[in-house]
Amino acid sequence: MEGSTASQNMVAQGEKDMQEEKIQFATYSQWCTLTKEKKTQVIAQTADAIESIKADVAKSTATIERLTAEITGHQEEIERLVLEQDNMTQVRSKENADFKAEQKDYEESIDALGRALSTLQKQAYDREQAGSKKEALLDMPVSGCHREVKEAIAAFISRKPEVDGYEFQSQGLITMLSEFKDKFVLEKAELEKLEFEKKAAAEQTLAGLKDEQEAAQKATDKKAALKSKKLQQKAKLQENLETTKTTKASDEDYLKETTATCDQKAADFEARQKLRVEELETVNKAIDVMSSASVSGTEKKQLAKSFIQVGRATSLAALRSHKVDKDLKAKLLGFLQSEAERLHSKVLAKLVAPTAVSEAMENIRDTLEGVIKKLEAVAADEHTKREYCKKEIKKNKATRADKRAAIDELEADIDMLEASVKQLTEEVAALGDDLVALDQSVANATDIRGKEKAKNNETVTDAKAAQAAVTQALAMLKEFYEKAGQATALVQTSAAQVSDQPAIFDAPYQGMGGQSGGVLGLLEVIAADFARLEAETSSEEEAGQTEYENFLKESRLNKKQMELDVKHKKETSAEQTAEIQEKSNELLEVQEELAAALKVWEVLQKECLTSQKAEEERREENIESLKKALDMLADS
């Protein structure tokens, strides 16, 4: 009866353990499903992130290529400007050398004429003829004079006849030489004025070329700096790309390993369930007496996881004052009238009446010269305005280019920082999920370990108690069978003496203990089973506890590292967010400065780029007509 009860208890415990193992595996199977789904989603998100980073790398590469092309263009522009400056310097040096040579010629001529005039003025008196005076005149110190002066002197001497007594006749020559000297002095002054204007114009042009060169160099330096930042950004993106790829590969490996482990556990579960069924069937067949507890399975752990106008020198030859010639005056009036009509010039038309009533040529000349000076002054003012406009337009162009480059640079920095903040936020969120999953895994493992430990302790206790009971039962049965054997032996001996006694057993009764598969044999098998159950359960408990402690240690280390990563990423994100705000404010300021520069550009377009060509051409034609009128007076 006791053996039957034990058998029933053993079967009931086995069925209970099998049901608990099913519940345990259902929880583990659910964890496997959720973990695989989450990790698959994370891998998909990482794949999207990889494509996004690749797009950012391509964008950075395109920007770097554009900046490289622009830098090359600026460098070629700088080389062109340097070459143009060198060429202008060489041309200016040649012009200056030609000027110095011509200036020296004028200085020598003026000096020679001065010495000749001094000699003639000393000889301005009559004397007796002492020989040919022509040779004396030719021997005057006029070396170094222009060829036209020598030819004029020679022509003058050839017109003077020889006389018996010498009478001073060189006053006309003195007058002619004085006029030449005055003319050369004026021409020298005009030459020096022209040289001064050429020099100023060349210096202004060179300064403009240097300004352009500096602007191009500045643009080159800024774009080179921006290119350097873009290269750093690209390098960081590529580093992030490799890190993300590594993370994806790690997640894929984890998913693969988790899938394999879960599949293996599922197979093991099926095998264990089959084994348990067979075990229960065997116990039902083999054990009808004793009850016992059955072993439960072990649990498995999980781990949560982008930026000269050169003025034409105009000199007028000095005109000598004389009375107005009526024919010349009529000719001059006709010229002014026709030019005024041809050019539709109010300036020339207004000169007709003053010229008609003027009685002195000098007055007409003064009037014409005064008008010319006024027109030239207007032209000079216009020239100054053009130079101012040219300078301001160049300056505004450089300012707009600088601001656009600064905007490109700031926008690139902001894009890069925003991308970094976005990535950090995603990483912090992922780490937060991992921390929650890790804590849940620890909690689950702790709960499972507690239940497993309690179950194992209960099994060991039951096994020890069962062994003690079986040992006691064996002792009692052995003692009983020994006594029973002796008792039946005596009875059999005395019965043998009665001859007419009916047939009855003639061997001593040894009890059921001696039979093969009897009670004693069954109890000895049960005792061995309980001893093996105690040993196996104790070994599994020790292994499970060691595995649990290792899991807790690894989880604590992982959690500490993840918490440090979250802290660092949050601090970096906060710093970059503040930097984004600073750069955004700076971007707004630069955009406002660019807008102001564009407004200045609109004003410059209205004031400087409006066509004044027709007015300038009319002014130049008026000046040319007035100079021709002066030439008519000079030729009279």
Side-chain angles (χ1 to χ4, degrees), residues 379-536:
D381 289 342
E382 289 295 328
H383 174 73
T384 301
K385 180 179 179 181
R386 283 195 301 274
E387 290 304 315
Y388 167 81
C389 286
K390 182 178 180 180
K391 180 180 178 181
E392 289 301 312
I393 288 173
K394 183 186 299 182
K395 180 180 177 181
N396 184 267
K397 180 180 179 181
T399 298
R400 286 183 283 118
D402 290 345
K403 298 308 175 185
R404 288 194 176 100
I407 288 173
D408 289 343
E409 182 177 355
L410 286 169
E411 288 179 340
D413 290 345
I414 291 172
D415 288 344
M416 181 175 68
L417 288 169
E418 288 178 341
S420 179
V421 169
K422 179 180 178 182
Q423 181 177 350
L424 288 171
T425 302
E426 293 173 350
E427 291 174 352
V428 167
L431 285 170
D433 292 342
D434 290 344
L435 283 169
V436 171
L438 181 59
D439 289 340
Q440 185 62 46
S441 296
V442 170
N444 291 340
T446 301
D447 180 66
I448 292 173
R449 179 86 277 275
K451 292 179 179 179
E452 185 180 54
K453 182 177 180 67
K455 179 67 178 178
N456 289 338
N457 288 339
E458 181 182 358
T459 299
V460 169
T461 299
D462 291 344
K464 287 181 178 179
Q467 290 179 71
V470 171
T471 299
Q472 183 179 2
L474 281 171
M476 293 173 63
L477 288 172
K478 286 180 179 179
E479 181 180 359
F480 170 77
Y481 286 131
E482 288 176 355
K483 291 180 179 180
Q486 295 175 359
T488 56
L490 294 173
V491 172
Q492 294 166 354
T493 301
S494 59
Q497 298 175 358
V498 180
S499 59
D500 59 349
Q501 187 175 354
I504 195 171
F505 46 81
D506 56 356
Y509 176 71
Q510 303 293 325
M512 294 185 295
Q515 298 176 1
S516 175
V519 175
L520 292 178
L522 180 61
L523 289 177
E524 288 173 351
V525 171
I526 291 174
D529 288 341
F530 280 127
R532 184 174 68 254
L533 176 63
E534 178 186 1
E536 290 176 350

Side-chain angles (χ1 to χ4, degrees), residues 21-33 444 448:
E21 188 174 75
K22 286 181 180 180
I23 295 173
Q24 184 183 52
F25 179 76
T27 301
Y28 181 83
S29 178
Q30 184 179 12
W31 174 85
C32 287
T33 301
N444 291 340
I448 292 173

Side-chain angles (χ1 to χ4, degrees), residues 16 57 150 320 365 515 524:
K16 179 182 177 182
V57 170
K150 294 181 179 181
R320 290 172 294 175
R365 182 186 305 111
Q515 298 176 1
E524 288 173 351

